[in-house]
Amino acid sequence: MKKGKSYIFLIVLLCLILVECAGDKKPTAEEEKSELIQPAKWWEKLPRPIYATLERVETSQPWFEVYQLIDDTYAIYEPYQFEEAIGYLVVGKKRAIIIDTGTGIGNLKQVVSELTQLPVSVVNTHAHWDHIGNDYQFEEIACYNHPDCISRLRSGVSNASLRRSIAEESLWKPLPEGFDPTTWTIPPVEPTSLLEEGTVINLRDRSLEVIYTPGHSPGSICLLDKQNRILFTSDTFFPGPLYAFAEDVDIDDYIASIEKLKSRLHEYDYLCSGHNDPWVKSEAISRVADGFQEIMAGKGEYKEDNGIRRYYFDGFDILVRADMIRK
Ligand SMILES: [Zn+2]
């Protein structure tokens, strides 16, 4: 065999070996981790039962499902992307607010304009990407007065960081018409007002009180609608695996925030959460408080992978890093 031909033979042989190895390769630690956090075919459990009990409102935007929860209060749900993000339109007499703007994949402003003619401003519960995606469509944006929120809003999110969230395994319906995955970003925005603990957002006939609840992120808030006895909890509580494992989580703050919400349980009956279900009985907060206590006491059932533990409870789970748990 001539030297040139033997090189080609070696390359072909190497390729065959690589293909063979790839065929039975074990999932990487990263892939296993993501299976614990994002199960394959997560959409098979949809639709979630709660939605059959809620009043659906049709809009021109098929990417979203809209539900009227009570008068002048709508859940705007994105069921086709893994996050199952939910934003809320709260309409007052003179103006309205949108609590979080979702992933930015669909045209939220169009939906909002079909639900109210009043001026609408944004209140972000925190600045993770799946809550700020459509902020750029609105002129007024409020977030908690914390450097983490402010800097994330000012930075926006790049196409490269967003691409995994629209990969095949994260979607089960086509992306909206006109959406271009190759140019999609979350544009930077400037917050126009900064919220503090106890700030009251006045919509004239109804108001929302800001409750500072750090933990899931350093600038997380919940919003209490006292008149209607609803607490908007965003990612501090939702009926799914609570994310208490990420780099920006402070688990002690998270537990303190849940205890703070528990101490005010007499003021609300329902939770409007940031993912999955928009209408959950408030007693879940007590169970989350108990769940965290169990975890920190070294109890509770869990699966662990790559240093992440998923603890299983009734109606929710908690994801933590193993190194967060005191011995
Ligand atoms: Zn979040």
Side-chain angles (χ1 to χ4, degrees):
M1 201 183 282
K2 286 191 180 161
K3 210 176 178 185
K5 276 191 180 166
S6 67
Y7 275 130
I8 291 165
F9 175 76
L10 273 172
I11 288 166
V12 170
L13 189 68
L14 200 62
C15 287
L16 283 171
I17 290 167
L18 284 172
V19 167
E20 186 62 27
C21 292
D24 64 0
K25 82 179 170 79
K26 293 206 168 67
T28 61
E30 198 57 33
E31 284 165 338
E32 280 179 352
K33 184 184 95 175
S34 85
E35 176 64 19
L36 202 57
I37 298 166
Q38 179 172 331
K41 298 192 181 164
W42 51 272
W43 52 81
E44 285 181 344
K45 62 177 182 288
L46 304 185
R48 294 171 184 275
I50 187 74
Y51 288 97
T53 70
L54 301 174
E55 187 181 335
R56 179 94 184 256
V57 179
E58 291 304 324
T59 74
S60 67
Q61 302 297 304
W63 179 254
F64 300 95
E65 287 182 7
V66 176
Y67 296 87
Q68 183 166 358
L69 302 173
I70 55 166
D71 281 353
D72 296 323
T73 306
Y74 302 89
I76 304 177
Y77 173 49
E78 298 181 58
Y80 309 134
Q81 196 275 338
F82 169 67
E83 302 297 338
E84 290 182 68
I86 311 174
Y88 295 90
L89 180 69
V90 177
V91 183
K93 278 275 177 288
K94 281 268 169 173
R95 68 187 187 106
I97 60 163
I98 176 93
I99 300 172
D100 290 342
T101 62
T103 64
I105 293 170
N107 185 349
L108 180 68
K109 189 154 193 196
Q110 178 59 38
V111 171
V112 166
S113 73
E114 292 171 27
L115 299 171
T116 181
Q117 301 305 310
L118 294 173
V120 179
S121 53
V122 172
V123 177
N124 286 133
T125 59
H126 63 306
H128 285 159
W129 76 272
D130 50 327
H131 296 258
I132 63 169
N134 282 94
D135 277 20
Y136 74 96
Q137 293 187 305
F138 299 85
E139 275 164 28
E140 287 181 27
I141 298 162
C143 71
Y144 195 71
N145 187 6
H146 189 287
D148 178 71
C149 290
I150 299 166
S151 66
R152 280 175 185 265
L153 288 178
R154 283 179 179 161
S155 305
V157 187
S158 70
N159 183 266
S161 337
L162 290 168
R163 287 307 279 273
R164 190 177 176 272
S165 46
I166 48 167
E168 209 177 320
E169 69 272 15
S170 298
L171 291 173
W172 65 284
K173 288 268 173 101
L175 290 161
E177 218 170 292
F179 177 86
D180 183 353
T182 64
T183 57
W184 177 42
T185 62
I186 293 177
V189 291
E190 184 65 30
T192 52
S193 64
L194 297 174
L195 307 168
E196 306 283 350
E197 165 77 5
T199 300
V200 175
I201 300 165
N202 202 332
L203 303 178
R204 196 124 182 236
D205 58 322
R206 68 193 291 193
S207 58
L208 297 173
E209 178 192 334
V210 173
I211 304 177
Y212 181 44
T213 49
H216 169 77
S217 84
S220 286
I221 56 169
C222 293
L223 293 159
L224 178 63
D225 177 344
K226 274 189 199 171
Q227 289 98 323
N228 294 299
R229 300 186 56 83
I230 298 170
L231 182 71
F232 295 91
T233 54
S234 186
D235 285 2
T236 299
F237 171 78
F238 57 90
L242 299 175
Y243 281 32
F245 70 96
E247 284 306 313
D248 58 346
V249 166
D250 183 309
I251 198 159
D252 294 323
D253 284 353
Y254 204 146
I255 293 168
S257 290
I258 292 288
E259 291 293 336
K260 183 177 181 179
L261 296 179
K262 188 178 158 185
S263 76
R264 299 188 64 171
L265 264 169
H266 57 284
E267 293 179 82
Y268 53 90
D269 301 320
Y270 283 93
L271 311 171
C272 293
S273 82
H275 300 273
N276 304 350
D277 287 11
W279 198 245
V280 180
K281 282 192 179 150
S282 57
E283 66 199 17
I285 292 295
S286 291
R287 284 186 279 120
V288 176
D290 293 347
F292 271 118
Q293 296 307 335
E294 263 188 53
I295 292 172
M296 295 318 252
K299 298 175 192 160
E301 269 180 48
Y302 66 87
K303 280 187 187 162
E304 181 169 337
D305 184 34
N306 199 32
I308 305 283
R309 287 184 185 181
R310 182 167 177 160
Y311 284 82
Y312 297 90
F313 298 100
D314 179 20
F316 66 95
D317 298 334
I318 300 180
L319 287 160
V320 297
R321 290 198 310 274
D323 63 17
M324 288 170 159
I325 297 163
R326 300 179 200 106
K327 292 284 174 288

